[in-house]
Amino acid sequence: MRFPVKLAIGSISAFIFIILVGFVLFPRMITSKVKGMVNLAPGNEIRDMFIKVPFALSFKIYLFNVTNPMEIQSGEKPIVKEVGPFCYEEWKEKMNIEDKEEDDTISYNQKDTYLKKWWPGCRNGQEEVTIPHPLILGIVNTVARQKPGALSLINKAIKSIYSDPSSIFLTAKVDDILFDGVVINCNVSDFAGKALCGQLRTAEALTKVGEVEKFSLFSSKNATLQKRIKAYRGKKNHRDVGRIVEYNSSKMMDVWPTEECNSIEGTDGTIFPPLTKPGEGLFMFSPDLCRSLIAFFVRKSTYDGIPCGEFTADLGDMSKNEKEKCYCSTPETCLKKGMMDLYKCSGIPIYASFPHFYNSDTSYLKGVGGLSPNKTKHEIKILFESITGSPLYARKRLQFSMPLESTQKVELFKNFTGTVLPIFWIEEGVGLNRTYTGQLKSLFTLTKVVKVSKWLILIGSLGGLAAAGYLFFKVDGRADITPVHEIRRHESKSGSTVNGAGGHVLSGNGLEKY
Ligand SMILES: *[C@@H]1O[C@H](CO)[C@@H](O)[C@H](O)[C@H]1NC(C)=O
Ligand SMILES: *[C@@H]1O[C@H](CO)[C@@H](O)[C@H](O)[C@H]1NC(C)=O
Ligand SMILES: *[C@@H]1O[C@H](CO)[C@@H](O)[C@H](O)[C@H]1NC(C)=O
Ligand SMILES: *[C@@H]1O[C@H](CO)[C@@H](O)[C@H](O)[C@H]1NC(C)=O
Ligand SMILES: *[C@@H]1O[C@H](CO)[C@@H](O)[C@H](O)[C@H]1NC(C)=O
Ligand SMILES: *[C@@H]1O[C@H](CO)[C@@H](O)[C@H](O)[C@H]1NC(C)=O
Ligand SMILES: *[C@@H]1O[C@H](CO)[C@@H](O)[C@H](O)[C@H]1NC(C)=O
């Protein structure tokens, strides 16, 4: 057979083979393998990781030490100094698992356990800091909103419980403020004091430790079962993996005035549906904020050699965006960009924003001295691999502040200049280590090898075809004549051979097929 024809046949076969296998079969195989692996049905490795994350997340807390408490009392601008981080391991586990085959769902209660750790760069927790007393500021703000008439009673109660304080600030050891508890003296006999302590107990702000009652910012979150969540397992539809359908046994929240804001969208943030387009947003429901956040695509990135997308999120601007007006405290009083009032959500008049008011309205930053917002340190950042739906790295950051407003009915609050006073911020961090990225990488090495070789083979086959065409037409005359001579010579020597003829017929037929 003539060489150009052989080359053409070879090239065309390679071309068809690679189109079928490399461009059709292999991607389908990957897709179906991913669909089979990335869902929460029993027996899947990812389900076990979803139920009990096999490694600890890092949980860091930073407090804002108030350096001029007495000056603030007389109306000056607060000056704070960040102290931290105080470091913990966060172990995430889901309890009371219940599967429902018929609607392809899994129900659970999330339980997060925090263990104190010390890593290089962390503070030890024995330091004394001064922060606005969350119970004094919280109670006054709550009563001012709910029952302003009761403020003079609160004034008396504060004097009783906190033994006639000279400021609203609390100076205590960091460990006590965060988890161990600051003693609140509820062993009082006056009416106002007793009433307030009763309120604090029903709000579960106090925990009884032996004979005394204590308050801390985080102990109530530690190792406690959160509200029940029902989520799709995604066995039937991979786009639903982890998507929350019910929170607290209800399809909607009952927190905000509109249906849109009450709707629950997205996953709990530990898992996402696979096979999304690289630029698609990540929807996460945050029970702490009673809202869904969308992390949006920023740029392409890599993590430990795995190609991924970088995502970030913001808290929107309820003063400007029509859709976010439902988060306003009242229709007339909206917070500015980047700030959320969680009073309706948690019953505590606390504000959420990014640390140091990063990406928030500048008026908040102007109201407090000592802050320096910084994108790298304070933004939310997620590196996400969209084929398997894996978050590879995440830094979720949130700051909690309380509004400081003057009121004439409470003595300690008479001279305040209105500001939003930051109290603490937290960073939840995770980065998959080699053990886990290694598993992902093998998939990516395979797809990369296939990707490169399929283009090489494709280009090679097209090149071969071109070369065959070139040889066939360019060297036409000689190519035609030479074999004839050869065959004649062959024939003259030993007669026709069956094999030779057969070979010709076969390749002829083979050629016609294509
Ligand atoms: C990754 O983390 C897991 C769980 O903590 C651990 O068992 C494993 O040894 C780690 N792998 C590497 C390479 O550090
Ligand atoms: C907090 O501020 C107070 C007053 O400025 C200071 O005495 C204290 O040492 C600070 N605490 C820390 C941990 O820096
Ligand atoms: C959180 O709770 C666990 C289990 O009850 C306990 O071992 C741990 O010490 C607590 N963490 C902190 C920071 O107090
Ligand atoms: C409460 O106060 C009373 C009177 O001041 C005192 O006798 C009692 O021991 C206190 N109880 C506790 C638990 O501190
Ligand atoms: C959860 O449901 C219970 C009972 O339906 C309700 O009383 C409670 O307010 C709900 N909590 C939240 C945060 O929605
Ligand atoms: C933000 O923080 C990073 C990391 O600590 C630092 O390198 C950078 O200089 C800071 N940027 C500004 C504007 O302060
Ligand atoms: C508020 O200011 C008035 C007048 O300057 C002063 O008399 C009063 O002591 C101040 N109150 C507090 C709680 O600092």
Side-chain angles (χ1 to χ4, degrees), residues 29 32 51 62 181 235 271 326 369 461 512:
M29 206 181 78
S32 82
I51 290 175
Y62 297 80
K235 195 176 158 193
I271 195 171
C326 48
S461 67
E512 267 162 25

Side-chain angles (χ1 to χ4, degrees), residues 46-113:
I46 204 157
R47 174 190 170 98
D48 303 335
M49 286 183 69
F50 178 71
I51 290 175
K52 189 171 190 328
V53 179
F55 45 82
L57 281 68
S58 82
F59 187 80
K60 294 184 178 171
I61 309 173
Y62 297 80
L63 284 163
F64 290 103
N65 190 13
V66 174
T67 60
N68 59 343
M70 292 327 285
E71 289 81 359
I72 300 171
Q73 285 300 143
S74 60
E76 278 184 32
K77 171 168 147 175
I79 311 287
V80 298
K81 193 168 183 308
E82 180 187 282
V83 180
F86 303 94
C87 307
Y88 299 83
E89 275 184 0
E90 181 184 359
W91 291 90
K92 288 175 114 39
E93 195 174 356
K94 295 178 167 72
M95 314 294 284
N96 308 325
I97 308 289
E98 208 181 334
D99 279 83
K100 254 199 182 149
E101 208 58 48
E102 60 269 28
D103 56 3
D104 193 23
T105 57
I106 179 171
S107 302
Y108 59 86
N109 297 91
Q110 180 71 40
K111 183 178 111 173
D112 300 333
T113 304

Side-chain angles (χ1 to χ4, degrees), residues 203-269:
E204 290 170 6
L206 300 179
T207 38
K208 199 144 184 137
V209 183
E211 280 296 291
V212 292
E213 283 171 293
K214 288 187 171 183
F215 162 81
S216 73
L217 291 173
F218 288 97
S219 63
S220 64
K221 294 209 98 173
N222 185 23
T224 36
L225 292 188
Q226 295 166 24
K227 298 248 155 52
R228 199 148 178 83
I229 286 179
K230 186 193 238 189
Y232 283 123
R233 302 187 304 188
K235 195 176 158 193
K236 288 183 185 148
N237 181 355
H238 72 276
R239 303 215 36 112
D240 280 341
V241 172
R243 189 155 75 79
I244 297 174
V245 258
E246 277 181 22
Y247 175 65
N248 194 23
S249 307
S250 158
K251 288 195 163 45
M252 284 262 184
M253 288 176 291
D254 186 18
V255 172
W256 313 107
T258 69
E259 203 163 280
E260 197 170 349
C261 283
N262 279 324
S263 72
I264 297 164
E265 280 178 73
T267 69
D268 71 351

Side-chain angles (χ1 to χ4, degrees), residues 66-79 130-134 136-137 140 155 158-159 162 164-171 367 403-419 421:
V66 174
T67 60
N68 59 343
M70 292 327 285
E71 289 81 359
I72 300 171
Q73 285 300 143
S74 60
E76 278 184 32
K77 171 168 147 175
I79 311 287
T130 301
I131 61 165
H133 200 309
I136 299 183
L137 193 49
V140 171
N155 187 36
I158 289 172
K159 285 187 176 178
Y162 306 101
D164 204 4
S166 59
S167 83
I168 65 155
F169 294 92
L170 161 73
T171 299
L404 193 64
E405 274 147 24
S406 71
T407 161
Q408 295 311 306
K409 298 230 178 73
V410 182
E411 270 166 53
L412 290 174
F413 283 65
K414 274 186 183 159
N415 299 337
F416 285 147
T417 308
T419 46
L421 193 51

Side-chain angles (χ1 to χ4, degrees), residues 54-56 91 433-436:
F55 45 82
W91 291 90
N433 74 12
R434 290 265 158 82
T435 308
Y436 299 100

